[in-house]
Amino acid sequence: MANLLNLLISGLATGAIYALVAIGFTLLWQTSQTINFAQGEFVMMPAFFILAALHAGVPFWLSIIFGVLISLLLLGLVFKKALVDPMLKHGVLPIAIATMALSIGMKESVKEFFTAEAEPFPSLIPAGNVNIFGVEVSLQSIGVLVLAIVAVTALNLLLNRTSVGHQMQAAAQNPTVARIIGVPVERMILYTFLINAGLVALASVLITPIYLAKFSSGEVLGLAAFIAAIVGGFNQVRGAIVGGLLLGVIDNLGAAYISTQYRGAIPLFLLIVVILFRPQGLLGRAEERTV
Amino acid sequence: MTGPRATTRTLWPWLIGLAGLVVLLVLPLGLARYGLYILSMWAVMTIAAIGLNLTLGYAGQVSLAQGAFVGIGAYAGAIATTNGLPFIAGLALAIVLCFVVGWLLGYPALRVQHHYLAFITLAFSTLAFLVFRNEEWLTKGIYGITDVPRPRIFGLSTDGPLAFYYFCLASLGLVSLATWWLIRSPWGRAFVALRENPVRALSLGVDTRRYTLIAFALGSVLGGIAGALYAPLVEFVDPTPFTLTLSFNLLMMVIVGGSGFFFGPFLGALISVLLPEWLRFAHGYYLMLYAIFVMALLAWSPTGILGIVQKLIADRRTRRASATRAAATATFTAEKSS
């Protein structure tokens, strides 16, 4: 029982990180029909920005701020202006393929300019366990969970309680009408790209201490975020949250009780079943479909 | 999306094709072992890309699973031949297996389209990798299957690199001819109809259900054939080459060359397989340059390199036509005023 609770909490913690990444993924899709196959690499990169600053002798806190700023600039602004904007008119597939190329480019640059080895990464949250109802739970998991909840709540408040948030939603739901009623759609789209960059930077800071910083670590994460987004509902922020948490828990429980070798397969089966029987995702709205 | 046309009335494609064939036949004579290996790899990857081009370029079904089919083919071939069966049996096994699995994978395509289909095939690809890695009784897991023998064709051994290269080239030739015939057959027409306007195709009596499945199965079969050739080429099969990256790479080959163009996969595979070797001096930077190249190309021309060529040719024709028309109008007005 204690073991189960432990697995649940660490699963929720990983799931919360998946959810952060998945939320960014769905935001990009909603506002600009961008399927970002480099989303996993987007999580891998900020860790290396921060490590680069750390190696230069900058203190940890300052390095994090530096890493987040660089992420906002490169993974938000430059990504949108240089890659997505010129390709938007060509449709969904060319952007998707360009992001595949981008993911290769990012992995190779880290490997070439930084290191091919796994690098340790300092943690924001102190190590150790806390005792909850007689069960030892790692502080790391609790901290990750709390920070992720704070981030998601803040995002939700932004989207639902502020004027900018309402404008962003309008821009996502119906850009034409939004434009007519005076919403600066272009700027709203840029905001979602910046939010995505912020979310992946946060995810990076939270997950890298657990899994180490490595050029290839984005592959697993990207796939997980991907599955979380689709399972939860491709066009809903809360879908991505539910999908992420569900995936984290299932992944952990599956590895413990079913098969460690095939732990990676369980989310994939979940994905296939959901797409076949409920393509809009567990919480998603149905989109108009071709054929 | 305006569909690229496979039929061009000029002789140029044929001349370029013929010149390419001569190069492919003569060039290897002066190449060392490694050069031949790379050229053979090009032929193998081209076959896989031709298959994907059939599914994606002609029938319009996005697939991120072609790498998995190359893997299935490679394992089928390797397992059969290391257990004493002839190459042809391994090839047949690869073809049948890929046809059946490809057909089954086509079923989701009947329900979902575009990006959802991409996700399903992506999931399948990852699952296939897990099976390659974990089912040790069959695939020997991460240790891989060693000493995959090279085939004897009509009593001739293909053990030497040059002989095996010609074998790969001949296979590529056969596959190309078969595909050339296929896309001109009613099946090929039906594929294009499926891509351009599925609803209209259905209303005209094209059994879109069946053709979607066939497009998937045939594309997968070509992936399987490529795999069955890959195994004896490398003489070693382990799971690492068949990750999602291979599927991404094959997709990029098709798109970079020009999806829906017959020669697209040849060109795409050329850039993806041969160029890194020629750009050795760039070393690790090569993949970065390649990534940047792909992104820039897609921003400029989503129909790939052949799309650019086609556009140039079309522009020239338009200019020539309008020049002729202008000349004709000039004569006409001159005659009228005199």
Side-chain angles (χ1 to χ4, degrees):
Chain A
M1 191 59 216
N3 190 22
L4 181 67
L5 188 67
N6 238 326
L7 283 172
L8 261 178
I9 291 181
S10 66
L12 282 175
T14 329
I17 300 175
Y18 292 162
L20 292 178
V21 188
I23 291 169
F25 191 80
T26 59
L27 283 177
L28 292 196
W29 166 254
Q30 287 175 54
T31 51
S32 64
Q33 271 70 56
T34 301
I35 299 177
N36 186 9
F37 279 97
Q39 186 79 348
E41 279 66 37
F42 273 37
V43 182
M44 177 271 293
M45 291 300 275
F48 280 97
F49 297 149
I50 294 170
L51 277 176
L54 275 175
H55 287 203
V58 181
F60 186 44
W61 280 102
L62 212 58
S63 304
I64 288 185
I65 295 171
F66 168 80
V68 171
L69 288 179
I70 294 286
S71 303
L72 290 178
L73 180 70
L74 291 182
L75 307 179
L77 188 69
V78 174
F79 173 57
K80 177 179 187 293
K81 295 281 176 197
L83 194 69
V84 176
D85 281 354
M87 252 174 263
L88 212 49
K89 58 179 185 291
H90 298 322
V92 176
L93 192 60
I95 298 189
I97 292 165
T99 58
M100 289 176 199
L102 181 65
S103 83
I104 294 178
M106 284 177 160
K107 273 186 283 195
E108 289 302 314
S109 353
V110 168
K111 205 159 95 183
E112 205 58 33
F113 297 122
F114 215 91
T115 171
E117 303 301 315
E119 288 266 315
F121 190 87
S123 173
L124 271 181
I125 305 147
N129 289 334
V130 282
N131 198 316
I132 300 176
F133 306 123
V135 181
E136 292 284 319
V137 180
S138 95
L139 214 53
Q140 184 88 314
S141 299
I142 306 274
V144 166
L145 210 49
V146 169
L147 277 174
I149 290 171
V150 169
V152 169
T153 316
L155 180 66
N156 252 327
L157 286 177
L158 172 76
L159 285 179
N160 296 325
R161 294 286 163 81
T162 66
S163 165
V164 173
H166 290 151
Q167 291 183 51
M168 284 171 67
Q169 292 200 30
Q173 279 162 17
N174 196 334
T176 319
V177 174
R179 217 167 262 130
I180 291 169
I181 58 173
V183 173
V185 173
E186 266 310 301
R187 199 188 320 149
M188 293 306 137
I189 295 177
L190 178 62
Y191 287 167
T192 57
F193 274 77
L194 292 177
I195 290 175
N196 179 45
L199 287 171
V200 292
L202 176 63
S204 189
V205 171
L206 293 180
I207 203 161
T208 322
I210 307 173
Y211 291 132
L212 302 180
K214 194 173 182 201
F215 73 96
S216 59
S217 62
E219 288 164 13
V220 180
L221 261 173
L223 195 63
F226 213 69
I227 297 175
I230 299 160
V231 167
F234 212 46
N235 44 25
Q236 293 274 312
V237 168
R238 63 197 156 92
I241 300 170
V242 171
L245 294 176
L246 190 67
L247 196 66
V249 171
I250 285 181
D251 197 28
N252 251 14
L253 294 183
Y257 295 113
I258 300 173
S259 153
T260 25
Q261 283 190 318
Y262 279 103
R263 72 182 293 181
I266 301 159
L268 295 168
F269 275 118
L270 187 66
L271 171 74
I272 293 179
V273 170
V274 166
I275 291 189
L276 284 182
F277 297 105
R278 208 178 145 76
Q280 71 270 37
L282 297 178
L283 296 181
R285 289 183 308 268
E287 282 177 51
E288 68 269 42
R289 300 229 315 267
T290 43
V291 186
Chain B
M1 190 175 130
T2 56
R5 300 282 169 271
T7 48
T8 322
R9 279 186 189 79
T10 53
L11 268 174
W12 279 110
W14 290 104
L15 288 177
I16 295 170
L18 200 65
L21 188 63
V22 170
V23 169
L24 286 174
L25 284 172
V26 177
L27 177 78
L29 296 174
L31 278 179
R33 193 184 188 87
Y34 186 68
L36 286 169
Y37 170 81
I38 294 297
L39 267 188
S40 311
M41 188 57 89
W42 168 77
V44 169
M45 285 302 145
T46 306
I47 294 176
I50 289 176
L52 184 58
N53 194 25
L54 209 59
T55 316
L56 172 78
Y58 288 99
Q61 310 292 323
V62 186
S63 167
L64 285 174
Q66 191 70 352
F69 287 108
V70 177
I72 292 174
Y75 272 108
I79 291 168
T81 50
T82 48
N83 284 313
L85 290 170
F87 173 78
I88 197 79
L91 182 68
L93 182 65
I95 290 176
V96 171
L97 210 56
C98 287
F99 188 86
V100 173
V101 178
W103 185 280
L104 292 178
L105 189 63
Y107 274 99
L110 300 173
R111 284 186 60 95
V112 294
Q113 287 275 306
H114 303 305
H115 45 281
Y116 288 113
L117 190 55
F119 299 150
I120 288 207
T121 50
L122 182 149
F124 169 77
S125 198
T126 317
L127 279 174
F129 172 78
L130 287 175
V131 171
F132 296 153
R133 200 191 60 190
N134 294 341
E135 298 304 315
E136 283 180 10
W137 59 276
L138 187 65
T139 64
K140 304 224 171 71
I142 49 168
Y143 303 107
I145 299 172
T146 47
D147 298 325
V148 181
R150 287 191 175 170
R152 293 183 75 81
I153 305 299
F154 304 123
L156 292 170
S157 157
T158 59
D159 283 345
L162 188 65
F164 194 76
Y165 164 70
Y166 281 125
F167 175 58
C168 289
L169 193 63
S171 312
L172 174 60
L174 284 178
V175 166
S176 310
L177 284 178
T179 315
W180 182 259
W181 168 80
L182 181 78
I183 54 182
R184 262 149 199 76
S185 73
W187 281 17
R189 304 285 180 201
F191 289 165
V192 175
L194 209 61
R195 176 191 74 195
E196 291 300 324
N197 194 335
V199 177
R200 187 168 154 80
L202 189 62
S203 75
L204 289 174
V206 176
D207 185 349
T208 47
R209 238 180 106 78
R210 221 174 107 231
Y211 281 106
T212 309
L213 294 176
I214 290 175
F216 253 95
L218 287 182
S220 311
V221 162
L222 291 190
I225 294 174
L229 287 168
Y230 176 94
L233 169 63
V234 184
E235 297 176 297
F236 173 68
V237 178
D238 77 326
T240 36
F242 309 114
T243 54
L244 205 50
T245 315
L246 180 60
S247 293
F248 281 3
N249 272 333
L250 285 165
L251 184 61
M252 276 193 264
M253 284 181 210
V254 172
I255 299 287
V256 165
S259 98
F261 290 99
F262 183 76
F263 286 108
F266 294 78
L267 194 60
L270 191 75
I271 291 171
S272 170
V273 180
L274 291 193
L275 227 52
E277 301 304 322
W278 289 333
L279 295 177
R280 277 257 144 155
F281 61 89
H283 201 55
Y285 299 103
Y286 169 72
L287 272 175
M288 268 179 266
L289 293 176
Y290 178 61
I292 293 169
F293 166 74
V294 171
M295 289 186 275
L297 177 73
L298 282 170
W300 188 30
S301 162
T303 46
I305 297 177
L306 289 180
I308 297 176
V309 173
Q310 192 196 37
K311 213 171 128 207
L312 288 179
I313 294 174
D315 281 356
R316 223 182 53 198
R317 278 213 194 112
T318 325
R319 260 207 309 282
R320 203 185 295 147
S322 41
T324 329
R325 208 175 312 120
T329 327
T331 348
F332 178 68
T333 34
E335 274 170 9
K336 234 169 58 175
S337 58
S338 64

